[in-house]
Structure formats: C-alpha cells, structure tokens
C-alpha cells in the first residue's frame, strides 16, 4: 500500500470511529434507542492478534477491553501473592485457575465504568468452565454474548510474531520488531518510555502455550460454534485486512442509514 492509500485509510478509520461514537453519545443523551452495546470475545492462539485488534474495537465501539493476560501481568508487576503464583504458571505456558479468572472478569464487569458501553474479552474464556461461568454471569444480568470471533492462524506463523513482539508495559501497546516497529528503536510511540519483551515470549514457552491452547481453548471454539454467534477470521492477513474483516462481522447488523459526519459537513448524503 502506498503512502497516500495508507494515510487515506487511516483518516477514513478516524472519521468512522468518530461517527460511531457521536451516534452512541447522541443516543444516550436523547434517551432514544441506541445501537445495542457490544458484548464480544476474541479467541485465538498466542500471537494471533487479539491484543492488536481489541484496542481498535474499543475505540470504535466505546466499550471496555478486558485482557486477562494484562490483568495477570499487572498482578505480577505489583508482586501480589496472585502475581507471584501466576508468573510461574504463565512462564510455564499453563493456565491460572478458572475460579480466579472468572472472579476477575466478574469484578471488572461490575465495577469498571467503561464496561457500561459493553465489553471485549481478550484471552477469556480460555476453558469450557470459564465459558460456562461467563454465560452464568451474563444471564444474571439479563444479557447475552453477541459475538465470538476466532482469529484463525497456523501455528507455524506464530513463532516469528511472538519472538519479535515488543510491549509497552504501562499501556499494553504492542509492536513488532519487523511487522510493526516503533518509530524510535525500543521506545513507545506515545510516551517515549522503554519497550520490553514478555518473559513468556520465547520459542520454548510458546510451544507449551500452543499445546495448552489446542488442548484447553480449542474446545471453547466448539462451545461457541454451537451457539450461532461464532465467526472465524483469517488472522494470517496483514493487520488492516484483519481489522476490516472483524469490523464487517461486528457491524453486520448495525449499519445505519442516518447522516454521517462527512455528510453533515458537506451537506451531501
Ligand atoms: P495472554 O496475555 O492472553 O497471551 P496469549 O493468549 O498467549 O496471547 P498473546 O498476548 O501472546 O497474543 P495476541 O493474540 O494478543 O497477539 P498480539 O496482538 O500481541 O496470556 C498470557 C498468559 O496468562 C497465558 O499463557 C496464561 O498463563 C495466563 N492467562 C491469561 N488469561 C487466562 C485465562 N482466561 N485463564 C487462565 N490463564 C490465563 O500480536 C503478537 C505480535 O504479532 C505483535 O508483535 C503484533 O505486532 C504482531 N501482529 C499482530 N497481528 C499481526 C498481523 N496480522 N500480521 C503480522 N504481525 C501481526
């Protein structure tokens, strides 16, 4: 993609995000029927692109982004008893106990104000008991999950993605040394703070994480396939194309014929 195409695509994205947010806020302000809040999960193996796509969804739909891996790493950084225990499990490529993970998500959905606009769960549910726990949690709120989006990619493509990933710990922003390099070497584009490599982002731990994914999380995909809310996306494509495909799933039932920001400015529909 050339520079002009690239810039044009970014600007169109910014305008579309603004339109979506204005529509939602106007709806809330007037008490009129607003597009339904979004309630969705992103499933996929390590490196599939969950953490790359989720912030874009959050931006578009003004909802919360709950990434259980980030929540656990936060506990590790604070050196809490849970963090100490979780670090051993994460570095070994295993899974933290279901009841702990379900409790974490419940707490966030109840207390995080951003979740009033809906939620994207990234890295949860990772087991069938977690999926059942989520269903129970939502049923008690008279809600249902709307979308289970699976980012599908062959294991062989994930080694390069994981071993080249660079992370800004405070924000969770992620880069890639080759596929998505920061503007300045090893520095976060927004804050200029140093980037790090995750302690579980090495070829050996990845092998174990992939084993755990296929044994314990693949059944979660089957769980949602049966419900009719599952959609698969080819996650081996470049990030912009993955985003377009995800968006077309999420906006499928939400396209509106109302005026757009551009049409309001130009007076043309
Ligand atoms: P978590 O943090 O959730 O890790 P993960 O599932 O292994 O996923 P990743 O964060 O590694 O990958 P991603 O899909 O977000 O990829 P990203 O977008 O960054 O969990 C860590 C650990 O915590 C688990 O192993 C477990 O121990 C524990 N845990 C967490 N949740 C739990 C739960 N519910 N129950 C029990 N235990 C739990 O992309 C990767 C790289 O590729 C980046 O560098 C990115 O720039 C690049 N990239 C992304 N998309 C593309 C593309 N389309 N083309 C080229 N490069 C791309």
């Amino acid at each position: 993609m050339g520079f002009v195409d690239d810039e044009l695509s970014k600007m169109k994205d910014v305008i579309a995000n603004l339109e979506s947010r204005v529509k939602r806020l106007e709806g809330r302000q007037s008490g009129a029927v607003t597009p339904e809040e979004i309630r969705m999960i992103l499933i996929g193996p390590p490196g599939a692109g969950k953490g790359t796509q989720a912030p874009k969804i959050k931006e578009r739909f003004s909802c919360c982004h709950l990434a259980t891996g980030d929540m656990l790493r936060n506990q590790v950084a604070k050196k809490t008893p849970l963090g100490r225990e979780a670090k051993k499990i994460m570095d070994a490529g295993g899974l933290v106990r279901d009841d702990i993970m379900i409790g974490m998500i419940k707490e966030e959905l109840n207390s995080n104000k951003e979740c009033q606009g809906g939620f994207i769960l990234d890295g949860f549910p990772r087991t069938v008991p977690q999926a059942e726990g989520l269903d129970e949690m939502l049923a008690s709120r008279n809600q249902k999950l709307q979308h289970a989006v699976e980012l599908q990619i062959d294991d062989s493509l994930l080694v390069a993605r994981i071993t080249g990933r660079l992370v800004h710990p405070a924000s969770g922003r992620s880069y890639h040394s080759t596929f998505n390099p920061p503007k300045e070497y090893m520095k976060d584009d927004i804050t200029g703070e140093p980037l790090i490599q995750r302690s579980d982002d090495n070829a050996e731990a990845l092998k174990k994480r992939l084993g755990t994914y296929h044994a314990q999380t693949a059944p979660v995909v089957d769980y949602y396939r049966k419900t009719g809310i599952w959609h698969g996306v080819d996650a081996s494509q470049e990030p912009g194309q993955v985003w377009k495909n995800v968006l077309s799933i999420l906006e499928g039932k939400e396209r509106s014929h109302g005026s757009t920001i551009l049409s309001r400015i130009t007076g043309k529909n």
Side-chain angles (χ1 to χ4, degrees):
M1 196 187 272
F3 173 78
V4 174
D5 288 345
D6 209 17
E7 286 302 299
L8 199 58
S9 162
K10 278 186 202 155
M11 283 179 73
K12 280 183 180 169
D13 245 12
V14 169
I15 290 173
N17 283 346
L18 282 172
E19 279 171 3
S20 169
R21 296 178 76 166
V22 166
K23 209 182 298 168
R24 279 161 198 275
L25 288 171
E26 280 178 345
R28 274 190 216 166
Q29 188 188 44
S30 67
V33 179
T34 56
E36 212 186 342
E37 63 176 45
I38 193 156
R39 291 183 295 277
M40 66 166 292
I41 62 168
L42 270 180
I43 317 173
K50 306 181 292 293
T52 300
Q53 299 298 329
K56 289 169 172 284
I57 302 172
K58 172 180 171 166
E59 173 81 14
R60 173 65 63 104
F61 293 94
S62 307
C63 58
C64 63
H65 166 204
L66 305 180
T68 42
D70 287 348
M71 290 179 198
L72 289 170
R73 280 185 286 278
N74 196 14
Q75 295 290 318
V76 174
K78 287 186 191 153
K79 297 192 166 66
T80 63
L82 168 61
R84 273 194 269 270
E85 198 49 41
K87 178 156 176 31
K88 288 185 223 153
I89 298 170
M90 291 161 85
D91 287 348
L95 294 183
V96 174
R97 267 186 12 226
D98 288 336
D99 57 328
I100 294 178
M101 301 315 301
I102 293 169
M104 270 188 170
I105 291 293
K106 200 173 196 169
E107 168 72 23
E108 284 293 316
L109 290 183
N110 286 337
S111 62
N112 183 334
K113 287 214 171 82
E114 280 188 328
C115 298
Q116 285 171 1
F119 59 78
I120 317 148
L121 304 183
D122 155 2
F124 180 96
R126 247 180 165 90
T127 63
V128 171
Q130 289 183 16
E132 290 165 347
L134 177 62
D135 280 349
E136 275 170 34
M137 218 183 289
L138 294 178
S140 72
R141 303 156 67 102
N142 288 322
Q143 290 179 335
K144 275 188 172 172
L145 204 59
Q146 299 162 323
H147 307 281
V149 177
E150 181 193 3
L151 297 180
Q152 301 172 307
I153 183 163
D154 194 82
D155 286 5
S156 60
L157 297 173
L158 298 173
V159 182
R161 285 200 188 178
I162 287 293
T163 53
R165 173 165 51 191
L166 305 168
V167 182
H168 177 239
S171 66
R173 269 186 291 281
S174 80
Y175 301 83
H176 191 281
S177 52
T178 313
F179 307 138
N180 177 27
K183 288 181 187 139
E184 206 178 327
Y185 178 70
M186 289 304 277
K187 288 201 175 149
D188 177 45
D189 286 354
I190 311 288
T191 62
E193 288 165 356
L195 301 178
I196 58 146
Q197 249 203 316
R198 270 167 49 176
S199 60
D200 58 346
D201 274 356
N202 56 71
E204 196 191 336
L206 174 63
K207 212 167 158 189
K208 293 182 192 148
R209 286 159 66 192
L210 284 171
T212 304
Y213 181 82
H214 292 300
Q216 301 197 55
T217 310
V220 176
V221 172
D222 294 332
Y223 181 92
Y224 288 111
R225 271 181 196 262
K226 288 178 198 146
T227 63
I229 61 167
W230 171 91
H231 288 276
V233 169
D234 175 1
S236 67
Q237 306 170 96
E238 58 98 14
Q241 189 55 47
V242 176
W243 168 235
K244 277 186 194 156
N245 294 357
V246 169
L247 196 57
S248 68
I249 293 168
L250 305 184
E251 289 195 329
K253 60 173 188 173
E254 223 186 53
R255 289 210 184 281
S256 143
H257 300 292
S259 62
T260 64
I261 286 179
L262 263 186
S263 66
R264 287 185 209 183
I265 293 168
T266 60
K268 291 178 191 164
N269 266 314

